Amino acid sequence: MNKYNIAIDGPSGAGKSTVARLLAEKLGIVYLDTGALYRTVGLKAKREGWREDDAEVVRRLADTRIEAKFVGGIQRMYLDGEDVTDVIRTGDVSDYGSRFGTLPGVRAALLGLQRAAAQENSSVLDGRDIGTCVLPEAKYKFYLTASVDTRARRRYDELVGKGQDVSFEKVRTDILARDERDMTRKIAPLKKADDAIEINSDDMTAAEVAERMISFIER
């Protein structure tokens, strides 16, 4: 079969990454976590105290090396040679990634990385603008969503499971703020592609969502 791409977009906490991994495993193709690229930028911004100024960030990115490598089929993220795969999943790094990801310079810098990876392999990509901006010609497109409370509960359980001391209300507030930021940003805002299939995961497990997607693909 010729190479093909599957785009999964949707708001934070909808279960995109988990579903994308399952889908890639079931189909025997590569999963590229695009959010990890933005978190890696966010990590450096946090460490070095970057200002949210596009021109300044573009200059700093010129001296930054971000790499996504696949080890045994698993994506590992490297920042200037350091493996930061686990670090970018802690604390407020995700928030930094979201904030700096609204800058045109950041999006332009990472767009090429995402497209290059998609051209090399049949792959599943998830994010906020995969089907609308990164891979508008993707063969299959899905928009995965869920209610705010469901998404906040999933994120809360994930953080507590990692030993972090957080409150459900704080997580819910952060989810709402992330939605507002993602949906109203000037560059590639979060929205459903016209030709994407929408799936609400409120009452579905990740495995059930993956099977639903496969049923559409097989048609």
Side-chain angles (χ1 to χ4, degrees), residues 133-148:
C133 179
V134 178
L135 297 175
E137 303 302 321
K139 187 168 185 178
Y140 308 105
K141 298 180 186 179
F142 297 96
Y143 187 84
L144 185 60
T145 188
S147 68
V148 171

Side-chain angles (χ1 to χ4, degrees), residues 6 10 13 26 29 35 37 43 48 58 68 96-97 111 158 169 183-184 194 210 218-219:
I6 301 171
K26 289 177 179 291
I29 61 179
L37 301 177
L43 176 62
E48 298 187 353
V58 168
Y96 272 83
L111 183 61
E158 177 187 359
E169 285 306 317
M183 293 177 178
T184 60
D194 292 338
E218 288 178 340
R219 292 178 193 175

Side-chain angles (χ1 to χ4, degrees), residues 47-94:
R47 284 177 170 178
E48 298 187 353
W50 291 4
R51 294 185 304 115
E52 291 178 48
D53 175 80
D54 193 53
E56 177 182 330
V57 171
V58 168
R59 288 195 299 273
R60 289 178 176 269
L61 282 175
D63 296 321
T64 301
R65 192 167 84 257
I66 296 173
E67 300 172 283
K69 299 180 180 180
F70 291 91
V71 181
I74 304 300
Q75 181 176 326
R76 307 292 299 181
M77 291 305 306
Y78 291 83
L79 174 61
D80 297 325
E82 175 193 354
D83 186 335
V84 296
T85 306
D86 298 324
V87 180
I88 60 175
R89 302 291 177 180
T90 62
D92 56 356
V93 174
S94 178

Side-chain angles (χ1 to χ4, degrees), residues 159-204:
L159 294 174
V160 170
K162 292 179 178 178
Q164 297 189 35
D165 183 17
V166 295
S167 70
F168 175 77
E169 285 306 317
K170 174 63 166 57
V171 172
R172 189 178 188 280
T173 298
D174 289 346
I175 288 280
L176 287 171
R178 179 73 179 270
D179 287 351
E180 175 69 14
R181 187 162 59 241
D182 289 342
M183 293 177 178
T184 60
R185 67 192 184 200
K186 294 182 179 179
I187 305 297
L190 167 64
K191 63 180 181 179
K192 175 179 172 290
D194 292 338
D195 54 347
I197 296 169
E198 182 169 339
I199 298 176
N200 185 299
S201 66
D202 272 342
D203 300 314
M204 301 174 69

Side-chain angles (χ1 to χ4, degrees), residues 109-156:
L110 298 183
L111 183 61
L113 289 176
Q114 296 172 75
R115 287 179 173 169
Q119 288 176 351
E120 291 176 3
N121 306 279
S122 289
S123 54
V124 182
L125 288 77
D126 72 299
R128 304 294 190 278
D129 63 345
I130 307 302
T132 56
C133 179
V134 178
L135 297 175
E137 303 302 321
K139 187 168 185 178
Y140 308 105
K141 298 180 186 179
F142 297 96
Y143 187 84
L144 185 60
T145 188
S147 68
V148 171
D149 285 342
T150 295
R151 292 187 284 125
R153 175 59 61 184
R154 289 171 180 166
R155 179 63 175 159
Y156 172 79

